[in-house]
Amino acid sequence: MTVPKFTALKGTGQKISMVTAYDYPFARLVDEAGVEGVLVGDSMSMVVQGHENTLPVTLDEMIYHAEMVGRAVNHALVVVDMPFPSYHLGKFKAIENAGRILKETRCQAVKLEGGVEQAETIAALVSAGIPVMAHCGLRPQNVHQLGGYRVQRDEQALMSDACAAAEAGAFAMVLECIPRGIAAKITGMLSIPTIGIGAGADCDGQVLVLHDILGMASDYAPRFVKAYANLNKTVVDAVRGFRDEVRGGDFPAAEHTFE
């Protein structure tokens, strides 16, 4: 999958599937499953590092994990989140930071949050040959400014952000936590694919966090999440079985022992 092929999926009738990945083993499995896109998300800050939001993860940490993912994926388009505040320090610094991501990770594109206020940065990155996926609606990096993780309902602002990001040259756009009707309007208005997360079924595609799909999330799961497995229970049961066999002297058995 390339950036032009990804964008060309718009209007073909084929919905686009994206899943996050943060390391080599899971990225290899996600790619084998046949998704069109793999996102190395700054959600890593929460689901891998255990922070309460996406703000603590650093550029170096994103590059470290994205390099693992880049080595594992052979088919899907790999997009890497630019963490806060790596693209807020001026367009030249944004180009430098995004350039590092592409040079050091084997990935094909970056993603950044924002619309109108980030249009100049998106345009600068694109002019430097760096493909950009935009992200409008709920912007987790602005969680303090927004007052929490809330559905974004200002239709005029959402439409303006989407138009600005697309006109600046974004090749696709994530729409997060916005009403389905507004997401449908944006999707119909834009010539680039929209990838929804909590934005309804009318988007051109959907993205979810891998750990949510696998049932490895914490006790709280957003409304838009669907778990397709329960690895929390599978992992706990497996480790508990190992513990019990060690305590009972059943492991290692003869077949696990060298003579």
Side-chain angles (χ1 to χ4, degrees), residues 37-90:
V38 174
L39 173 64
V40 186
D42 59 359
S43 50
M44 173 175 64
S45 178
M46 303 170 75
V47 300
V48 174
Q49 297 178 328
H51 296 296
E52 63 180 2
N53 56 50
T54 63
L55 297 176
V57 69
T58 67
L59 178 64
D60 284 339
E61 289 168 342
M62 290 299 302
I63 289 173
Y64 175 77
H65 284 266
E67 195 275 332
M68 299 182 219
V69 173
R71 277 188 285 121
V73 174
N74 293 313
H75 304 291
L77 183 75
V78 182
V79 182
V80 182
D81 265 335
M82 294 192 71
F84 178 85
S86 62
Y87 55 95
H88 295 280
L89 308 173

Side-chain angles (χ1 to χ4, degrees), residues 6 15 52 106-107 114 120 133 188 197 204 211 215 235 238 256:
F6 191 95
K15 294 283 190 175
E52 63 180 2
R106 310 184 192 189
C107 300
E120 184 179 353
M133 177 177 284
I197 178 166
D204 297 303
H211 293 62
V235 171
H256 309 117

Side-chain angles (χ1 to χ4, degrees), residues 96-174:
E96 179 184 354
N97 290 334
R100 277 194 63 199
I101 292 173
L102 262 62
K103 286 169 65 69
E104 299 178 33
T105 68
R106 310 184 192 189
C107 300
Q108 296 106 306
V110 299
K111 181 171 76 66
L112 58 82
E113 298 178 7
V116 172
E117 75 279 14
Q118 294 299 335
E120 184 179 353
T121 299
I122 294 172
L125 291 170
V126 173
S127 70
I130 301 171
V132 177
M133 177 177 284
H135 184 141
C136 298
L138 173 65
R139 291 173 280 173
Q141 292 178 10
N142 288 45
V143 61
H144 296 312
Q145 187 178 49
L146 295 173
Y149 298 100
R150 299 175 178 176
V151 176
Q152 303 301 296
R153 302 182 183 275
D154 187 333
E155 181 173 344
Q156 183 176 352
L158 291 166
M159 299 288 276
S160 296
D161 280 340
C163 286
E167 290 171 1
F171 73 90
M173 181 179 304
V174 169

Side-chain angles (χ1 to χ4, degrees), residues 181-221:
I182 299 177
K185 288 182 181 180
I186 293 173
T187 299
M189 175 183 66
L190 299 182
S191 61
I192 61 174
T194 58
I195 310 298
I197 178 166
D202 301 299
C203 296
D204 297 303
Q206 301 292 327
V207 60
L208 280 180
V209 171
L210 177 64
H211 293 62
D212 290 337
I213 291 175
L214 298 179
M216 298 178 67
S218 60
D219 293 336
Y220 169 75

